[in-house]
Amino acid sequence: MKSRKSHFPRIKTIAYEGTSTEKSLAFRHYNPDEIIDGKTMSEHMRFSIAYWHSFRGAGSDPFGPGTIVRPWEKGKDELSIAKNRIDAAFEFFQKIRAPFWCFHDRDIAPEGRSLAQSNRNLEKIVAHAKALQKETGVELLWGTANLFSNPRFMCGAATNPDAHVFAYAAAQVKSAMDATKELGGENYVFWGGREGYETLLNTNLKREQEHLARFMHMAVDYAKQIGFKGQFLIEPKPKEPTKHQYDFDVASGIAFLRTHGLEKHFKFNIETNHATLAGHTFSHEIDIAAAQGMLGSIDANSGDPLLGWDTDQFNTDVKELSLAMVSILRAGGLGKGGFNFDAKLRRPSTDLEDLFHGHIGGMDAYALAFKIARQILADGKFEDFVADRYSSFDSGFGQDIEIGKANFKSLEKLVLTKLGEPKQLSGKQEYLENLLNTYLHG
Ligand code: XUL
Ligand code: CO
């Protein structure tokens, strides 16, 4: 992007400098060009930048307006501002060495006075983004539609009690899928922020869930019609903005997909703080999805243990990420997915370089966790421990239980005549926690 005016003239492309560096604008663990098992770290990590936080978020919260002013937010009209902004974004993607980006339709292009005008705006910006992708080599991890900000979606989109709103949402997703296909998106995400309810007093829960399923089937059919080969992903979240969201967590998402015959077409985009809000660990959600072969992608962030809402912070907790990485690598990786920084700067972090510090911290923490997890799996101590813990099911009556050859009567006879009282087998949690610390801290 040499020919364009720089939006970050004082910041150079972030380089890997290793752990001895004193520089703050440098990677200490993420070396995008390092080859591990025949692939670069960049190819392993598949980091992605979330357009909405990093290029539309200005720091507003429910108690006050935005605080962050960006120099590129100017132009003669909304569309030229949108173009300047996306130019700045692609310069950032390159300087931070992220190979992917993600967007909502309304992040990148302004909503018009009619759907037709919104579609025209989107098409113009998509054409511009396509040229930028070609010029920079940055690719699209996923696209999605914003079906939660506009007041028309106040009672939901696909689960709205008004069929007119359902139709509008369908039309909007159709264009967002077209845009994602046009930009070569590897996935398409459904996060149903308002697909839920505020009170059951006004809600037909069964009918709303059926409408949501109908909507998803329409998306599957439309993907076939246009030849979109990307992976569909559901991003669960238990609440916020709604009191109760139908895609509450991965387990309820699986139940929903299986109930409505959609399980072959969807995987999950798991967001760290959505797991926390659902009362789960990040690893729990990854393992539940992986157990069904439905682990798709990650929205990389974290919450704050003292705040009960979605703070979308950059995650620098290497312990949490190492455990998550063990689960991801054990499941065979993310395939077409990646690690998308669905994370935003704190409201008082108003400097341009804060945007770099946030992403550098997140990328370094993930890269370090990747290396730690590889070491844990290569040593196999935890795997051996767990395999041994279940070894009574490998043969004899344990194996009979697993393969369906045993029943209540046969097992009763066995206990009464042969086995008697089981011996205590320690779970050894403290030993395992200490073992984990040797990988994290030596
Ligand atoms: C909201 C959230 C969304 C989705 C995309 O909590 O995570 O930004 O990732 O709609
Ligand atoms: Co998200």
Side-chain angles (χ1 to χ4, degrees):
M1 290 179 62
K2 286 195 189 84
S3 55
R4 289 175 204 275
K5 154 183 178 292
S6 172
H7 295 277
F8 307 89
R10 286 209 296 274
I11 300 179
K12 294 203 192 71
T13 298
I14 306 301
Y16 168 73
E17 305 240 350
T19 50
S20 59
T21 187
E22 301 260 320
K23 282 193 203 156
S24 62
L25 288 175
F27 293 121
R28 297 162 59 82
H29 301 285
Y30 177 54
N31 180 357
D33 304 318
E34 181 183 348
I35 309 261
I36 296 181
D37 273 350
K39 279 207 297 193
T40 62
M41 274 293 272
S42 174
E43 287 164 339
H44 278 291
M45 305 310 298
R46 295 169 65 82
F47 287 133
S48 162
I49 308 301
Y51 199 83
W52 52 101
H53 284 314
S54 292
F55 290 90
R56 297 315 308 269
S60 65
D61 70 13
F63 300 91
T67 51
I68 297 171
V69 182
R70 296 303 190 205
W72 52 78
E73 292 289 319
K74 38 182 192 268
K76 64 179 192 317
D77 53 29
E78 277 196 297
L79 263 180
S80 35
I81 299 173
K83 281 189 183 155
N84 270 343
R85 187 187 291 134
I86 205 162
D87 289 346
F90 273 79
E91 186 184 341
F92 176 72
F93 303 158
Q94 284 196 298
K95 286 195 162 164
I96 199 70
R97 307 269 338 245
F100 291 100
W101 68 302
C102 293
F103 68 85
H104 297 85
D105 48 1
R106 302 300 180 244
D107 305 334
I108 55 172
E111 180 143 16
R113 272 195 302 275
S114 65
L115 182 66
Q117 194 183 14
S118 300
N119 289 347
R120 279 195 298 276
N121 289 348
L122 185 60
E123 276 162 27
K124 281 186 193 142
I125 298 293
V126 164
H128 190 66
K130 195 171 176 179
L132 287 167
Q133 287 191 170
K134 197 157 173 235
E135 198 176 314
T136 60
V138 174
E139 293 176 284
L140 181 64
L141 188 65
W142 50 261
T144 189
N146 179 330
L147 303 177
F148 43 88
S149 297
N150 191 293
R152 81 173 69 84
F153 298 121
M154 67 181 184
C155 299
T159 61
N160 199 292
D162 181 358
H164 187 157
V165 181
F166 183 108
Y168 199 105
Q172 195 178 320
V173 169
K174 176 180 174 291
S175 296
M177 282 174 60
D178 288 340
T180 303
K181 177 173 184 257
E182 178 68 11
L183 293 173
E186 302 223 15
N187 305 269
Y188 184 92
V189 163
F190 291 88
W191 170 64
R194 296 197 193 270
E195 310 294 26
Y197 60 82
E198 296 298 328
T199 172
L200 285 173
L201 291 174
N202 64 13
T203 303
N204 185 331
L205 181 146
K206 182 169 187 288
R207 223 167 161 184
E208 288 200 359
Q209 290 195 326
E210 283 165 1
H211 293 169
L212 185 58
R214 189 51 38 231
F215 196 89
M216 299 306 195
H217 276 292
M218 289 182 194
V220 169
D221 290 346
Y222 187 63
K224 272 194 208 126
Q225 279 170 35
I226 62 172
F228 174 62
K229 300 271 183 304
Q231 174 66 52
F232 279 138
L233 300 171
I234 284 189
E235 183 178 324
K237 186 177 182 183
K239 58 190 170 197
E240 195 195 352
T242 50
K243 171 197 176 87
H244 183 106
Q245 193 179 311
Y246 292 130
D247 303 323
F248 191 93
D249 59 3
V250 175
S252 45
I254 291 170
F256 169 81
L257 292 172
R258 288 198 187 284
T259 303
H260 298 285
L262 286 156
E263 68 276 11
K264 282 198 198 70
H265 305 287
F266 286 80
K267 290 185 176 179
F268 288 90
N269 182 38
I270 297 173
E271 179 160 327
T272 322
N273 195 44
H274 294 180
T276 320
L277 292 172
H280 303 308
T281 61
F282 185 23
S283 303
H284 169 95
E285 288 293 77
I286 294 167
D287 281 352
I288 294 276
Q292 307 280 325
M294 292 170 112
L295 177 60
S297 199
I298 299 291
D299 262 11
N301 66 13
S302 74
D304 184 304
L306 301 185
L307 299 172
W309 65 86
D310 199 6
T311 56
D312 283 336
Q313 290 169 233
F314 288 93
N315 196 334
T316 52
D317 181 342
V318 176
K319 181 176 174 182
E320 180 181 42
L321 299 185
S322 298
L323 290 170
M325 272 294 182
V326 166
S327 292
I328 292 167
L329 294 179
R330 194 189 277 142
L334 294 176
K336 285 182 170 199
F339 296 95
N340 172 50
F341 289 103
D342 191 355
K344 63 186 175 196
L345 296 173
R346 297 306 85 197
R347 193 164 185 261
S349 298
T350 50
D351 286 349
L352 211 47
E353 69 167 28
D354 294 325
L355 193 58
F356 286 85
H357 285 144
H359 286 89
I360 288 170
M363 289 161 117
D364 261 349
Y366 261 99
L368 180 56
F370 173 74
K371 291 177 184 173
I372 291 170
R374 278 175 54 85
Q375 192 59 55
I376 289 175
L377 290 172
D379 289 354
K381 291 182 187 168
F382 292 95
E383 308 298 289
D384 290 348
F385 180 91
V386 173
D388 186 53
R389 194 163 182 237
Y390 291 85
S391 58
S392 61
F393 285 94
D394 292 346
S395 59
F397 70 90
Q399 191 177 43
D400 289 347
I401 293 172
E402 281 201 348
I403 63 178
K405 267 189 166 174
N407 58 44
F408 277 3
K409 273 192 175 173
S410 70
L411 293 173
E412 182 196 48
K413 189 169 165 216
L414 201 61
V415 174
L416 289 175
T417 60
K418 243 173 98 183
L419 297 177
E421 185 63 26
K423 276 209 294 283
Q424 265 188 346
L425 296 173
S426 171
K428 295 212 169 297
Q429 182 169 334
E430 297 75 8
Y431 157 76
L432 294 166
E433 284 167 352
N434 296 352
L435 181 60
L436 178 63
N437 261 358
T438 66
Y439 287 94
L440 296 170
H441 306 294

